[in-house]
Amino acid sequence: DVSEGDDLLPAGAEDYIHVRIQQRNGRKTLTTVQEINDDYDKKKLVKTFKKKFACNGTVIEHPEYGEGIKLQGDQHKSICQFLVETGLAKDDQLQVHRF
């Protein structure tokens, strides 16, 4: 019965899309978007983000969280607005983690 509870916890956590802002050096920052549904092509999302937000980005493989998107700069407001406008996520599904 304990294993059933373990199965339920990750399923609830997958409903959220995590947007993390990581400080590099000085004023430089990175924005990471993780746990986007696997139904969406992350390479196409990166291409769209790069064009729309005028920044560089890539698809990364994280050992714990799986595939994610890493972008240059503090793009958390733009990313959240884009995901809500396009219907990829609802406003309550986004979790922003700052520094």
Side-chain angles (χ1 to χ4, degrees):
D1 290 290
V2 174
S3 64
E4 290 178 9
D6 291 340
D7 291 341
L8 293 177
L9 289 175
E14 289 176 7
D15 293 336
Y16 290 107
I17 295 177
H18 298 275
V19 180
R20 291 182 172 83
I21 302 157
Q22 179 183 358
Q23 186 75 34
R24 278 189 8 190
N25 50 357
R27 294 175 22 192
K28 307 287 184 181
T29 56
L30 292 173
T31 303
T32 307
V33 184
Q34 293 174 322
E35 299 188 25
I36 294 179
N37 195 344
D38 290 335
D39 296 341
Y40 303 110
D41 186 10
K42 291 177 183 61
K43 288 186 180 182
K44 287 185 180 179
L45 282 174
V46 167
K47 188 174 181 180
T48 304
F49 291 158
K50 287 168 62 172
K51 268 185 145 175
K52 190 165 181 80
F53 308 136
C55 65
N56 199 4
T58 186
V59 177
I60 59 168
E61 183 64 38
H62 193 276
E64 186 178 343
Y65 303 116
E67 276 192 337
I69 297 172
K70 187 176 280 192
L71 300 170
Q72 281 184 337
D74 187 358
Q75 307 290 343
H76 77 277
K77 291 179 185 174
S78 306
I79 292 288
C80 292
Q81 182 180 4
F82 178 82
L83 292 174
V84 171
E85 285 178 357
T86 57
L88 295 176
K90 296 179 184 166
D91 198 27
D92 58 345
Q93 289 178 317
L94 298 172
Q95 286 191 341
V96 178
H97 306 277
R98 302 190 56 87
F99 308 118

